[in-house]
Amino acid sequence: IQPPPPSFTAAAAGGAVARPGSLHPPDQVRYKEERLVRKERLSIRKMRDKYTHEYQMHRQNKKIQVFGLNTYQGRYNGSTNGCTVISPLVVANHLRSSHAVSDRTIEDVIDSQCISILRDIRSKLQLEGAALIIPSDVHDYMVDHKLLKQDQFVGATGGNIIDKQHMIDFLKLLESGEKGEHKNKRSGAALFFREHVISMVKVPIGGGQFAYDLVDSLPSSTGQLSGKMGATRTRCKDLTSLFVCLRWYACKKFSESNCTYIDRNEWDESMADFDPRVFQSFVWADC
């Protein structure tokens, strides 16, 4: 029995025909395969529920602990939209300290240290008022004014914040560097995501072990002290806990329109500037 002619095969396959010798599936077949893959992918809203549950379990087990600070960015004139300066300044103070940056120092960074720097950078860039500043401009200023040393700079990384491998690349840079050069040293990072910058510092806790503190200068109900909103310092007992915390943090920042976009669009680096998942980070460490 002879096989049916190509036109019959095409009809049976839904009208798509693969050219003889072609290594690629017909367009419609490929489209059906892509639909199946997309259907199996967990929606961002379900991911958010999953990561929130993981975060809550880590808090219950005290692997993640949230502590309130006595201030927040914007409390004083001049610190509004100052997170791009506040976060690397927290790291700079951490690396200058004998052990770890203190809560009082973080509060001083938010209320005082950042203000003159924000004014200088905005003036240099001819930005008005409380305009947002690009993190790379702040990094250059920090190095030029010796607030951070160039040889302390480990590297920059970024990508899709809900992509596990992209986050692992960042966490590896924070934990030990590309070649493990600061595995047993302190480090810190400023992470830019959804028009806000947070900082993370690697804190020695004895026995060659380290915890990771995430500092967010925005006022939050979880940072309440004496009934007042405040910035937060979140202690993550290990790198895994920090990973859990960051996934929860990222997903809670997505709006409903962000969620719809994410579910409809695969990550594409060429479209990163328009993608709500994009993040960028800068990492420094003890020399």
Side-chain angles (χ1 to χ4, degrees), residues 91 95-96 139-140 142-144 146-155 173 176-177 181-182 185-188 283-287:
V91 175
L95 297 180
R96 282 202 300 267
H139 173 260
D140 292 343
M142 293 284 188
V143 172
D144 291 344
K146 297 181 171 52
L147 296 169
L148 284 164
K149 300 175 183 177
Q150 185 59 46
D151 56 5
Q152 289 178 313
F153 184 59
V154 177
L173 208 61
S176 58
E181 58 270 25
H182 63 259
K185 297 179 180 180
R186 296 175 307 164
S187 63
V283 180
W284 301 268
D286 283 330
C287 301

mmCIF file of all heavy atoms in Angstrom, residues 91 95-96 139-140 142-144 146-155 173 176-177 181-182 185-188 283-287:
data_model
loop_
_atom_site.group_PDB
_atom_site.id
_atom_site.type_symbol
_atom_site.label_atom_id
_atom_site.label_comp_id
_atom_site.label_asym_id
_atom_site.label_seq_id
_atom_site.Cartn_x
_atom_site.Cartn_y
_atom_site.Cartn_z
ATOM 1 N N VAL A 91 25.428 49.290 51.644
ATOM 2 C CA VAL A 91 26.500 48.327 51.368
ATOM 3 C C VAL A 91 27.862 48.929 51.720
ATOM 4 O O VAL A 91 28.702 48.277 52.349
ATOM 5 C CB VAL A 91 26.474 47.883 49.891
ATOM 6 C CG1 VAL A 91 27.662 46.973 49.584
ATOM 7 C CG2 VAL A 91 25.166 47.172 49.569
ATOM 8 N N LEU A 95 30.539 47.415 54.456
ATOM 9 C CA LEU A 95 31.914 46.991 54.179
ATOM 10 C C LEU A 95 32.935 47.808 54.969
ATOM 11 O O LEU A 95 34.057 47.346 55.192
ATOM 12 C CB LEU A 95 32.199 47.086 52.675
ATOM 13 C CG LEU A 95 31.353 46.166 51.780
ATOM 14 C CD1 LEU A 95 31.722 46.352 50.314
ATOM 15 C CD2 LEU A 95 31.503 44.696 52.183
ATOM 16 N N ARG A 96 32.542 49.011 55.403
ATOM 17 C CA ARG A 96 33.444 49.828 56.229
ATOM 18 C C ARG A 96 33.372 49.455 57.704
ATOM 19 O O ARG A 96 34.255 49.801 58.485
ATOM 20 C CB ARG A 96 33.102 51.318 56.078
ATOM 21 C CG ARG A 96 33.609 51.950 54.799
ATOM 22 C CD ARG A 96 33.724 53.466 54.942
ATOM 23 N NE ARG A 96 32.445 54.092 55.251
ATOM 24 C CZ ARG A 96 31.621 54.587 54.321
ATOM 25 N NH1 ARG A 96 31.949 54.512 53.043
ATOM 26 N NH2 ARG A 96 30.481 55.145 54.669
ATOM 27 N N HIS A 139 26.555 54.268 40.888
ATOM 28 C CA HIS A 139 27.770 53.462 41.053
ATOM 29 C C HIS A 139 29.006 54.272 40.666
ATOM 30 O O HIS A 139 30.019 54.276 41.383
ATOM 31 C CB HIS A 139 27.685 52.197 40.197
ATOM 32 C CG HIS A 139 28.952 51.395 40.185
ATOM 33 N ND1 HIS A 139 29.859 51.462 39.145
ATOM 34 C CD2 HIS A 139 29.481 50.541 41.080
ATOM 35 C CE1 HIS A 139 30.887 50.674 39.405
ATOM 36 N NE2 HIS A 139 30.675 50.095 40.568
ATOM 37 N N ASP A 140 28.926 54.973 39.549
ATOM 38 C CA ASP A 140 30.058 55.792 39.104
ATOM 39 C C ASP A 140 30.386 56.873 40.137
ATOM 40 O O ASP A 140 31.558 57.131 40.432
ATOM 41 C CB ASP A 140 29.743 56.447 37.753
ATOM 42 C CG ASP A 140 29.644 55.428 36.626
ATOM 43 O OD1 ASP A 140 30.131 54.296 36.808
ATOM 44 O OD2 ASP A 140 29.062 55.762 35.572
ATOM 45 N N MET A 142 29.748 56.813 43.373
ATOM 46 C CA MET A 142 30.294 56.179 44.577
ATOM 47 C C MET A 142 31.787 55.885 44.425
ATOM 48 O O MET A 142 32.576 56.101 45.349
ATOM 49 C CB MET A 142 29.546 54.869 44.863
ATOM 50 C CG MET A 142 28.101 55.046 45.248
ATOM 51 S SD MET A 142 27.930 55.614 46.938
ATOM 52 C CE MET A 142 26.177 55.494 47.163
ATOM 53 N N VAL A 143 32.163 55.396 43.264
ATOM 54 C CA VAL A 143 33.569 55.071 43.021
ATOM 55 C C VAL A 143 34.400 56.346 42.891
ATOM 56 O O VAL A 143 35.477 56.467 43.481
ATOM 57 C CB VAL A 143 33.712 54.194 41.756
ATOM 58 C CG1 VAL A 143 35.189 54.009 41.390
ATOM 59 C CG2 VAL A 143 33.050 52.838 41.977
ATOM 60 N N ASP A 144 33.887 57.318 42.136
ATOM 61 C CA ASP A 144 34.616 58.577 41.936
ATOM 62 C C ASP A 144 34.869 59.302 43.254
ATOM 63 O O ASP A 144 35.910 59.951 43.426
ATOM 64 C CB ASP A 144 33.846 59.504 40.988
ATOM 65 C CG ASP A 144 33.816 58.981 39.557
ATOM 66 O OD1 ASP A 144 34.632 58.090 39.237
ATOM 67 O OD2 ASP A 144 32.966 59.449 38.773
ATOM 68 N N LYS A 146 35.044 57.788 46.168
ATOM 69 C CA LYS A 146 35.692 56.840 47.081
ATOM 70 C C LYS A 146 34.794 56.379 48.235
ATOM 71 O O LYS A 146 35.267 56.038 49.318
ATOM 72 C CB LYS A 146 36.996 57.436 47.630
ATOM 73 C CG LYS A 146 38.031 57.694 46.539
ATOM 74 C CD LYS A 146 39.311 58.267 47.101
ATOM 75 C CE LYS A 146 40.412 58.324 46.053
ATOM 76 N NZ LYS A 146 40.031 58.993 44.799
ATOM 77 N N LEU A 147 33.490 56.388 47.985
ATOM 78 C CA LEU A 147 32.563 55.807 48.955
ATOM 79 C C LEU A 147 32.580 54.284 48.826
ATOM 80 O O LEU A 147 32.328 53.561 49.791
ATOM 81 C CB LEU A 147 31.154 56.352 48.725
ATOM 82 C CG LEU A 147 31.000 57.861 48.962
ATOM 83 C CD1 LEU A 147 29.654 58.355 48.448
ATOM 84 C CD2 LEU A 147 31.156 58.182 50.442
ATOM 85 N N LEU A 148 32.827 53.817 47.628
ATOM 86 C CA LEU A 148 33.096 52.407 47.347
ATOM 87 C C LEU A 148 34.353 52.355 46.484
ATOM 88 O O LEU A 148 34.551 53.211 45.618
ATOM 89 C CB LEU A 148 31.928 51.754 46.605
ATOM 90 C CG LEU A 148 30.694 51.405 47.437
ATOM 91 C CD1 LEU A 148 29.498 51.129 46.531
ATOM 92 C CD2 LEU A 148 30.953 50.194 48.335
ATOM 93 N N LYS A 149 35.188 51.366 46.724
ATOM 94 C CA LYS A 149 36.426 51.240 45.956
ATOM 95 C C LYS A 149 36.187 50.383 44.715
ATOM 96 O O LYS A 149 35.408 49.429 44.755
ATOM 97 C CB LYS A 149 37.514 50.603 46.819
ATOM 98 C CG LYS A 149 37.854 51.388 48.076
ATOM 99 C CD LYS A 149 38.851 50.629 48.927
ATOM 100 C CE LYS A 149 39.145 51.369 50.221
ATOM 101 N NZ LYS A 149 40.066 50.600 51.096
ATOM 102 N N GLN A 150 36.890 50.722 43.653
ATOM 103 C CA GLN A 150 36.731 49.965 42.420
ATOM 104 C C GLN A 150 37.113 48.502 42.613
ATOM 105 O O GLN A 150 36.485 47.605 42.044
ATOM 106 C CB GLN A 150 37.574 50.581 41.295
ATOM 107 C CG GLN A 150 37.365 49.922 39.932
ATOM 108 C CD GLN A 150 35.920 49.985 39.446
ATOM 109 O OE1 GLN A 150 35.284 51.035 39.514
ATOM 110 N NE2 GLN A 150 35.389 48.871 38.975
ATOM 111 N N ASP A 151 38.144 48.251 43.450
ATOM 112 C CA ASP A 151 38.555 46.854 43.644
ATOM 113 C C ASP A 151 37.599 46.086 44.555
ATOM 114 O O ASP A 151 37.745 44.876 44.743
ATOM 115 C CB ASP A 151 39.997 46.755 44.161
ATOM 116 C CG ASP A 151 40.228 47.533 45.446
ATOM 117 O OD1 ASP A 151 39.253 48.072 45.997
ATOM 118 O OD2 ASP A 151 41.384 47.595 45.900
ATOM 119 N N GLN A 152 36.606 46.777 45.121
ATOM 120 C CA GLN A 152 35.554 46.087 45.872
ATOM 121 C C GLN A 152 34.433 45.608 44.955
ATOM 122 O O GLN A 152 33.616 44.785 45.364
ATOM 123 C CB GLN A 152 34.955 47.024 46.932
ATOM 124 C CG GLN A 152 35.869 47.339 48.101
ATOM 125 C CD GLN A 152 35.208 48.305 49.075
ATOM 126 O OE1 GLN A 152 34.640 49.326 48.672
ATOM 127 N NE2 GLN A 152 35.263 47.994 50.358
ATOM 128 N N PHE A 153 34.408 46.134 43.753
ATOM 129 C CA PHE A 153 33.323 45.801 42.829
ATOM 130 C C PHE A 153 33.503 44.383 42.295
ATOM 131 O O PHE A 153 34.525 44.048 41.705
ATOM 132 C CB PHE A 153 33.291 46.800 41.677
ATOM 133 C CG PHE A 153 32.148 46.590 40.716
ATOM 134 C CD1 PHE A 153 30.836 46.632 41.150
ATOM 135 C CD2 PHE A 153 32.397 46.348 39.372
ATOM 136 C CE1 PHE A 153 29.784 46.439 40.271
ATOM 137 C CE2 PHE A 153 31.353 46.158 38.478
ATOM 138 C CZ PHE A 153 30.040 46.204 38.931
ATOM 139 N N VAL A 154 32.502 43.547 42.526
ATOM 140 C CA VAL A 154 32.546 42.146 42.097
ATOM 141 C C VAL A 154 31.990 41.994 40.689
ATOM 142 O O VAL A 154 32.543 41.293 39.847
ATOM 143 C CB VAL A 154 31.756 41.252 43.078
ATOM 144 C CG1 VAL A 154 31.736 39.803 42.590
ATOM 145 C CG2 VAL A 154 32.352 41.339 44.473
ATOM 146 N N GLY A 155 30.869 42.666 40.426
ATOM 147 C CA GLY A 155 30.273 42.567 39.103
ATOM 148 C C GLY A 155 28.812 42.965 39.117
ATOM 149 O O GLY A 155 28.227 43.252 40.164
ATOM 150 N N LEU A 173 27.034 35.303 42.824
ATOM 151 C CA LEU A 173 27.895 36.485 42.809
ATOM 152 C C LEU A 173 27.946 37.119 44.201
ATOM 153 O O LEU A 173 29.003 37.555 44.663
ATOM 154 C CB LEU A 173 27.362 37.485 41.785
ATOM 155 C CG LEU A 173 28.361 38.439 41.117
ATOM 156 C CD1 LEU A 173 29.414 37.672 40.338
ATOM 157 C CD2 LEU A 173 27.622 39.402 40.195
ATOM 158 N N SER A 176 29.793 34.314 46.799
ATOM 159 C CA SER A 176 31.207 33.956 46.679
ATOM 160 C C SER A 176 31.941 34.579 45.504
ATOM 161 O O SER A 176 33.160 34.443 45.410
ATOM 162 C CB SER A 176 31.331 32.430 46.575
ATOM 163 O OG SER A 176 30.593 31.941 45.462
ATOM 164 N N GLY A 177 31.242 35.241 44.596
ATOM 165 C CA GLY A 177 31.895 35.763 43.402
ATOM 166 C C GLY A 177 31.946 34.711 42.313
ATOM 167 O O GLY A 177 31.589 33.553 42.527
ATOM 168 N N GLU A 181 36.055 33.954 45.059
ATOM 169 C CA GLU A 181 37.091 34.796 45.644
ATOM 170 C C GLU A 181 36.696 35.450 46.967
ATOM 171 O O GLU A 181 37.557 35.821 47.761
ATOM 172 C CB GLU A 181 37.544 35.869 44.643
ATOM 173 C CG GLU A 181 36.434 36.779 44.133
ATOM 174 C CD GLU A 181 35.762 36.264 42.870
ATOM 175 O OE1 GLU A 181 35.789 35.040 42.625
ATOM 176 O OE2 GLU A 181 35.197 37.093 42.138
ATOM 177 N N HIS A 182 35.400 35.605 47.235
ATOM 178 C CA HIS A 182 35.016 36.180 48.528
ATOM 179 C C HIS A 182 34.029 35.281 49.281
ATOM 180 O O HIS A 182 33.181 35.763 50.026
ATOM 181 C CB HIS A 182 34.446 37.602 48.358
ATOM 182 C CG HIS A 182 33.176 37.681 47.558
ATOM 183 N ND1 HIS A 182 33.156 38.075 46.247
ATOM 184 C CD2 HIS A 182 31.879 37.428 47.889
ATOM 185 C CE1 HIS A 182 31.906 38.069 45.807
ATOM 186 N NE2 HIS A 182 31.113 37.676 46.786
ATOM 187 N N LYS A 185 34.193 36.040 52.872
ATOM 188 C CA LYS A 185 34.264 37.466 53.161
ATOM 189 C C LYS A 185 32.863 38.081 53.103
ATOM 190 O O LYS A 185 31.935 37.498 52.551
ATOM 191 C CB LYS A 185 35.179 38.171 52.153
ATOM 192 C CG LYS A 185 36.627 37.710 52.193
ATOM 193 C CD LYS A 185 37.454 38.449 51.152
ATOM 194 C CE LYS A 185 38.906 38.004 51.173
ATOM 195 N NZ LYS A 185 39.712 38.727 50.142
ATOM 196 N N ARG A 186 32.756 39.270 53.653
ATOM 197 C CA ARG A 186 31.480 39.987 53.598
ATOM 198 C C ARG A 186 31.262 40.560 52.196
ATOM 199 O O ARG A 186 32.213 40.845 51.467
ATOM 200 C CB ARG A 186 31.466 41.118 54.620
ATOM 201 C CG ARG A 186 31.561 40.653 56.055
ATOM 202 C CD ARG A 186 31.658 41.837 56.993
ATOM 203 N NE ARG A 186 32.749 42.723 56.594
ATOM 204 C CZ ARG A 186 32.889 43.978 57.014
ATOM 205 N NH1 ARG A 186 32.007 44.496 57.845
ATOM 206 N NH2 ARG A 186 33.904 44.714 56.605
ATOM 207 N N SER A 187 30.012 40.734 51.854
ATOM 208 C CA SER A 187 29.672 41.322 50.559
ATOM 209 C C SER A 187 28.336 42.045 50.689
ATOM 210 O O SER A 187 27.684 42.001 51.733
ATOM 211 C CB SER A 187 29.593 40.243 49.471
ATOM 212 O OG SER A 187 28.551 39.321 49.756
ATOM 213 N N GLY A 188 27.951 42.703 49.619
ATOM 214 C CA GLY A 188 26.667 43.395 49.610
ATOM 215 C C GLY A 188 26.242 43.673 48.186
ATOM 216 O O GLY A 188 27.058 43.657 47.261
ATOM 217 N N VAL A 283 27.147 44.166 42.738
ATOM 218 C CA VAL A 283 27.662 43.450 43.911
ATOM 219 C C VAL A 283 29.068 43.944 44.251
ATOM 220 O O VAL A 283 29.907 44.114 43.363
ATOM 221 C CB VAL A 283 27.697 41.924 43.661
ATOM 222 C CG1 VAL A 283 28.235 41.191 44.892
ATOM 223 C CG2 VAL A 283 26.306 41.405 43.296
ATOM 224 N N TRP A 284 29.294 44.170 45.546
ATOM 225 C CA TRP A 284 30.611 44.553 46.058
ATOM 226 C C TRP A 284 30.990 43.605 47.198
ATOM 227 O O TRP A 284 30.123 42.969 47.805
ATOM 228 C CB TRP A 284 30.593 45.983 46.597
ATOM 229 C CG TRP A 284 30.213 47.041 45.604
ATOM 230 C CD1 TRP A 284 31.046 47.764 44.799
ATOM 231 C CD2 TRP A 284 28.890 47.522 45.319
ATOM 232 N NE1 TRP A 284 30.332 48.651 44.031
ATOM 233 C CE2 TRP A 284 28.997 48.528 44.328
ATOM 234 C CE3 TRP A 284 27.619 47.199 45.801
ATOM 235 C CZ2 TRP A 284 27.906 49.209 43.821
ATOM 236 C CZ3 TRP A 284 26.520 47.871 45.292
ATOM 237 C CH2 TRP A 284 26.671 48.866 44.314
ATOM 238 N N ALA A 285 32.285 43.528 47.507
ATOM 239 C CA ALA A 285 32.736 42.648 48.586
ATOM 240 C C ALA A 285 34.025 43.182 49.198
ATOM 241 O O ALA A 285 34.713 44.028 48.607
ATOM 242 C CB ALA A 285 32.956 41.228 48.060
ATOM 243 N N ASP A 286 34.347 42.674 50.390
ATOM 244 C CA ASP A 286 35.626 43.007 51.013
ATOM 245 C C ASP A 286 36.761 42.622 50.076
ATOM 246 O O ASP A 286 36.714 41.571 49.420
ATOM 247 C CB ASP A 286 35.790 42.236 52.329
ATOM 248 C CG ASP A 286 34.974 42.847 53.464
ATOM 249 O OD1 ASP A 286 34.763 44.070 53.449
ATOM 250 O OD2 ASP A 286 34.559 42.083 54.358
ATOM 251 N N CYS A 287 37.779 43.463 50.033
ATOM 252 C CA CYS A 287 38.939 43.178 49.175
ATOM 253 C C CYS A 287 39.722 41.986 49.722
ATOM 254 O O CYS A 287 39.786 41.776 50.920
ATOM 255 C CB CYS A 287 39.848 44.399 49.102
ATOM 256 S SG CYS A 287 39.026 45.869 48.455
#
